[in-house]
Amino acid sequence: MARPYVIIGTGAAGMAAAERLRLLKPQAPIQMMSIDEYSHSRCMLHKYLGGERDEKGLSFVAEDFFQKKEIMWGKGQAAKAVDPKEHRVIMEQGYQPYEKLLIATGSVYGIPPIPGFRRAANVFGFRDLSDAVKMNAAIRELDAKHVFIVGSGLVGLDVAYALLERGIKVTIAEMANRVMPLQTDDVSAKAYQELFERAGAKFHLGIGASDSVVDDANRIRVVKLSNGEEIPCDFVVCAAGVRPNTAFLEGSGLKTERGLVVDEYMRTSDPDIYGAGDVTALSGIWPNAMDQGRIAAANMCGQQQKYTDTFCIKNTANFFGLTMLSVGETQAQEDSEVFTRECRNAYQKVIVREGRVKGVQLQGDISHSGFWQYLVKNQIDISGKLREKSVFDLGYGDFYGMDELGEYQYV
């Protein structure tokens, strides 16, 4: 029997790769494996934690996807190691041979080296469905009333939002001086902070956790802050320090740096092993991960397709009905021009340097955002247009047919 094409991970990259593999290899055996027993969108995990959706409601593929595509799926199977020499993936029990292998294991959370945090039984992350399941169980078993969250990035606020909807109090500690420090500036951060505070959240900004009190049941009951304040809690969520999930590759010989190293064909240092998604540290954006998976699958089948979309600095948020999109740089450098416009329900910020848009932030009204993404991604020279009109009056018509040098390519 022919060895199967094997995919580790059923996230955006893995599922997109599986679909493309089946299209290109109608008869080939395809085997997927994942630590979770449900395929799910990580972006929707907060809806599960908040009680809006169940496990099946998190899926982003049809319920009969695996049956219809004739793809085998090893549920609840964690890859423990990869053995390129023998062409096999080592699991907790046994091993899985492969013809070609795609590693799409995503990212994992880290627990900071705060006394008690790494040994306590009630410290959780929030990256996979299994994390949300454990957190749900803790809420029931401990009758949780108060949760301490480390980090106020998108993940931390997702957790806070879901818990607040369930009537659970949250305290959030953030080392930066504003919430969502990588995606916001002071204005947009303040708008979100005020909404969360109205819902009952408490923030400690510019302050970190320094110690904890662990009870006889090995649970953290109090978190001590660096300013000496003590915060009682039922459990802790670590929502900072995310890193590519590459620990199981140690000893495999595969090259890793910030993540699993891949070339423009999504191929690793082993010609029969490919990588896609967060594990490569190329992008944290859902569409990019799917593109990487599709391109990796094509190259696993012998095609020569390159992944060229390396622009990945894009984030969206929607809390309490307030939407936000940030593209490119969020903080201006010294030689940048910053244009802002505020009204009652919207905030816009554009960062321009050397005649090119380096970053855009839209909060409250994110319509026409595709135009701004086009300018940032392609680094179109807008300096000539800025002599004629305000940056906020620019539109597609001003740049239709123009290349990155500012030259029109049509007659």
Side-chain angles (χ1 to χ4, degrees):
M1 182 178 176
R3 290 189 174 197
Y5 289 81
V6 174
I7 301 172
I8 309 175
T10 54
M15 297 299 275
E19 189 168 35
R20 184 58 55 87
L21 275 174
R22 178 50 72 221
L23 178 67
L24 298 175
K25 293 285 187 179
Q27 305 302 321
I30 301 174
Q31 173 74 54
M32 301 187 75
M33 61 177 68
S34 65
I35 60 174
D36 289 306
E37 297 188 2
Y38 293 88
S39 62
H40 62 278
S41 165
R42 194 180 71 205
C43 304
M44 293 292 105
L45 279 181
H46 64 286
K47 292 186 176 295
Y48 172 83
L49 184 61
E52 294 181 52
R53 299 191 183 189
D54 59 12
E55 293 91 343
K56 291 184 178 180
L58 298 178
S59 179
F60 56 96
V61 296
E63 193 171 349
D64 63 349
F65 176 85
F66 294 95
Q67 293 79 11
K68 189 174 181 180
K69 302 292 183 182
E70 296 185 333
I71 295 173
M72 297 173 284
W73 180 17
K75 300 180 181 182
Q77 294 186 11
K80 293 300 182 182
V82 172
D83 183 354
K85 184 178 180 180
E86 298 296 331
H87 269 62
R88 62 184 185 178
V89 178
I90 310 300
M91 301 178 295
E92 289 180 340
Q93 295 182 345
Y95 61 88
Q96 172 64 59
Y98 64 82
E99 177 68 25
K100 301 283 186 180
L101 173 64
L102 174 64
I103 298 172
T105 48
S107 55
V108 293
Y109 67 92
I111 299 178
I114 300 167
F117 272 48
R118 292 183 174 176
R119 67 178 178 86
N122 63 337
V123 176
F124 306 99
F126 197 65
R127 299 300 295 177
D128 297 299
L129 179 55
S130 56
D131 297 324
V133 170
K134 292 174 185 176
M135 210 180 299
N136 253 345
I139 291 172
R140 293 191 302 268
E141 294 169 6
L142 303 175
D143 190 23
K145 299 292 192 299
H146 192 177
V147 174
F148 185 89
I149 301 173
V150 179
S152 72
L154 282 170
V155 174
L157 293 190
D158 271 346
V159 174
Y161 188 79
L163 294 176
L164 287 168
E165 285 193 320
R166 296 179 65 166
I168 299 172
K169 295 180 180 180
V170 297
T171 297
I172 306 162
E174 168 61 57
M175 292 296 293
N177 60 3
R178 64 174 182 273
V179 304
M180 285 199 293
L182 298 180
Q183 296 85 21
T184 64
D185 62 7
D186 290 344
V187 175
S188 55
K190 182 181 178 182
Y192 277 130
Q193 182 178 340
E194 289 177 348
L195 288 172
F196 273 90
E197 287 176 338
R198 282 181 212 157
K202 293 185 178 180
F203 290 92
H204 293 270
L205 303 178
I207 298 171
S210 61
D211 203 350
S212 65
V213 176
V214 181
D215 66 14
D216 294 338
N218 195 31
R219 295 189 182 118
I220 291 176
R221 306 305 299 180
V222 174
V223 175
K224 297 182 179 181
L225 302 181
S226 55
N227 65 354
E229 190 171 350
E230 298 187 353
I231 311 295
C233 64
D234 295 303
F235 64 82
V236 174
V237 180
C238 293
V242 174
R243 64 184 186 278
N245 184 11
T246 59
F248 73 103
L249 298 177
E250 186 176 348
S252 67
L254 296 175
K255 186 177 180 181
T256 60
E257 291 177 357
R258 286 195 309 124
L260 178 62
V261 175
V262 295
D263 62 16
E264 57 192 348
Y265 301 101
M266 308 310 297
R267 184 173 50 213
T268 71
S269 53
D270 184 288
D272 293 325
I273 302 178
Y274 294 74
D278 285 356
V279 71
T280 66
L282 286 178
S283 170
I285 303 176
W286 184 274
N288 287 34
M290 295 186 76
D291 286 343
Q292 292 167 23
R294 295 186 190 104
I295 290 171
N299 290 313
M300 290 166 76
C301 295
Q303 298 186 4
Q304 293 290 300
Q305 292 189 17
K306 294 182 179 181
Y307 178 71
T308 58
D309 189 3
T310 56
F311 178 81
C312 63
I313 312 174
K314 171 187 171 184
N315 287 282
T316 57
N318 185 351
F319 296 111
F320 303 101
L322 181 62
T323 57
M324 186 185 75
L325 170 78
S326 59
V327 183
E329 299 176 8
T330 57
Q331 304 304 308
Q333 299 182 14
E334 289 186 3
D335 56 346
S336 300
E337 293 181 273
V338 180
F339 303 88
T340 61
R341 183 165 68 178
E342 293 184 63
C343 64
R344 180 180 177 185
N345 299 315
Y347 170 64
Q348 298 173 312
K349 175 181 175 181
V350 179
I351 299 173
V352 177
R353 189 165 61 254
E354 297 177 349
R356 291 169 169 78
V357 179
K358 297 296 181 180
V360 173
Q361 192 170 125
L362 307 175
Q363 188 180 58
D365 179 6
I366 63 172
S367 58
H368 310 297
S369 60
F371 161 69
W372 292 109
Q373 294 177 60
Y374 170 78
L375 290 184
V376 176
K377 179 178 178 180
N378 295 286
Q379 287 298 281
I380 303 296
D381 189 344
I382 68 168
S383 54
K385 296 295 180 181
L386 287 184
R387 290 192 289 270
E388 304 170 4
K389 59 177 68 176
S390 163
V391 67
F392 296 111
D393 293 328
L394 298 176
Y396 270 117
D398 293 304
F399 303 97
Y400 178 75
M402 184 181 287
D403 65 15
E404 64 274 10
L405 298 177
E407 301 291 336
Y408 286 98
Q409 297 301 302
Y410 64 94
V411 178

